[in-house]
Amino acid sequence: MEKKNLRIVFMGTPDFAVGSLQRLVENGYNVVAVVTQPDKPVGRHASVLRPSPVKEYALAHGLPVLQPLKMKDEHFLEQLRSYDADLQVVVAFRMLPEVVWAMPRFGTFNVHAALLPDYRGAAPINWAVINGETLTGVTTFFLDHDIDTGRIIAQRQFPIPDDADVEYVYDALMQLGAQLCTDTVDLLLSTDGDVPSQPQQDSDAHHAAPKIFKETCAIDFSLTAKRIYDFVRGLSPVPGAWCLLTPCDANAPAQVLKVYKTAKTGESSVGVEVGTLKAENRRLFVATVDEWLEIVELQPAGKKRMAARDYLNGFQHPEHFLLK
């Protein structure tokens, strides 16, 4: 079978998934339909519906779009069957029931932004950077009953630079995942669906990658400078690490401060209260459990993201405040 004859249904929602869909479309693969999440209500009164990036790309290229509320809805299943797909490709979507992933004769494979079985879950890129990993990558695997546990088809590695934030790694893995996506489709074509795959090896040593919430993003200044440095870049620019700028005067209110970029100094802060601030030569520093950490970029509540040197123009006496 040639790639133009292999009927593919693509499933995905965010920008990360667009990379793979675009690679398939632009390289002549036969994407017959796209499945994505329902439009998301946005705005002050949730009165505006925003389509997903995948839906926007699909409509711009004349691809049919399905947006089921429930994956077991019988009307949706009838629609999906009508496309008579040979293969389903899933990138950053949702957990699928067996009635969906077992439908095509070549099965359903997922492109996951980690080297499985490490970093199973919703936020593998963030957690790899947060944990200070120096190596990550992408994996294609066949879906089965449990999330991110199916048989591995192929993997590609990607080294994480020490100064990279999650946006840099996200963009790199989106492109690497797109290439691995088409490579995996080619493998399935060349083997008539009988592509070699390997079971994942479970181990307690593997990291999880759960969904990230607002409370997940709170900075703990009692950690080492290295761990805070990795934590901040693992959440930058989205959703952004945050802390409370707290006056030493207990009667004054604390303010939320987002931190987007820090720098390690190597200067000991042992003996200094954790969270203590100091300013030197228009640079802002905070005491951690072991070293002073420089805050390079931040965002005060109600203002735009800015360099710390600009923030210091209007921030008097930082020594009167703690970060908590």
Side-chain angles (χ1 to χ4, degrees):
M1 180 186 294
E2 296 182 8
K3 65 182 182 182
K4 65 180 181 180
N5 298 321
L6 181 76
R7 298 177 63 82
I8 298 173
V9 167
F10 184 89
M11 301 183 181
T13 297
D15 285 319
F16 189 88
V18 174
S20 293
L21 177 58
Q22 181 178 3
R23 184 70 64 96
L24 289 167
V25 171
E26 291 184 353
N27 285 276
Y29 294 87
N30 186 22
V31 179
V32 295
V34 169
V35 182
T36 191
Q37 294 280 55
D39 294 0
K40 185 178 180 180
V42 296
R44 180 174 296 179
H45 304 291
S47 57
V48 177
L49 293 178
R50 177 181 295 168
S52 73
V54 162
K55 179 181 178 180
E56 290 181 333
Y57 181 88
L59 293 180
H61 291 80
L63 300 174
V65 175
L66 306 180
Q67 296 179 273
L69 288 173
K70 297 181 179 180
M71 300 303 291
K72 290 185 178 180
D73 177 79
E74 193 55 43
H75 177 65
F76 163 68
L77 294 175
E78 288 179 7
Q79 285 184 301
L80 192 59
R81 290 189 191 100
S82 72
Y83 288 102
D84 193 24
D86 300 298
L87 173 69
Q88 290 173 159
V89 176
V90 179
V91 185
F93 189 47
R94 58 193 287 188
M95 191 170 180
L96 302 181
E98 183 175 3
V99 67
V100 173
W101 57 255
M103 195 178 292
R105 66 189 186 97
F106 281 4
T108 301
F109 78 78
N110 183 284
V111 180
H112 186 74
L115 298 174
L116 292 174
D118 223 4
Y119 293 104
R120 292 171 177 160
I125 306 176
N126 295 94
W127 285 108
V129 180
I130 287 170
N131 290 332
E133 301 286 2
T134 58
L135 186 70
T136 185
V138 289
T139 302
T140 51
F141 67 96
F142 286 115
L143 265 64
D144 63 10
H145 294 93
D146 298 315
I147 190 165
D148 297 339
T149 61
R151 295 178 66 88
I152 291 174
I153 305 168
Q155 294 185 318
R156 299 288 186 274
Q157 296 182 344
F158 177 77
I160 303 176
D162 182 66
D163 61 348
D165 62 17
V166 76
E167 183 176 47
Y168 176 91
V169 182
Y170 182 100
D171 290 344
L173 293 187
M174 179 172 65
Q175 298 305 318
L176 190 62
Q179 182 61 60
L180 186 59
C181 175
T182 54
D183 288 349
T184 300
V185 174
D186 290 343
L187 276 173
L188 285 158
L189 278 168
S190 66
T191 60
D192 196 31
D194 191 23
V195 63
S197 59
Q198 302 297 323
Q200 296 187 35
Q201 302 298 317
D202 287 326
S203 169
D204 292 338
H206 295 143
H207 299 89
K211 187 175 180 179
I212 290 175
F213 299 94
K214 181 180 178 181
E215 55 269 24
T216 314
C217 303
I219 303 171
D220 181 359
F221 288 99
S222 68
L223 299 176
T224 65
K226 172 67 165 65
R227 288 189 63 185
I228 298 170
Y229 170 80
D230 292 334
F231 184 81
V232 168
R233 65 193 183 97
L235 296 168
S236 181
V238 178
W242 62 272
C243 58
L244 293 177
L245 179 67
T246 308
C248 295
D249 178 358
N251 295 321
Q255 299 180 23
V256 174
L257 198 68
K258 279 198 168 185
V259 181
Y260 291 100
K261 187 175 182 180
T262 64
K264 295 169 285 186
T265 67
E267 180 186 349
S268 175
S269 61
V270 175
V272 180
E273 183 179 1
V274 166
T276 296
L277 287 170
K278 71 174 182 179
E280 292 180 354
N281 301 319
R282 297 190 66 201
R283 296 166 66 189
L284 183 62
F285 302 87
V286 60
T288 71
V289 72
D290 62 344
E291 295 178 7
W292 288 98
L293 185 69
E294 182 178 3
I295 297 177
V296 180
E297 292 183 20
L298 48 78
Q299 183 178 6
K303 297 186 178 180
K304 295 181 179 180
R305 178 175 173 175
M306 65 182 71
R309 64 178 178 273
D310 297 326
Y311 176 66
L312 287 172
N313 289 335
F315 181 45
Q316 303 298 318
H317 305 295
E319 66 275 7
H320 294 168
F321 294 81
L322 290 174
L323 293 186
K324 295 184 177 180

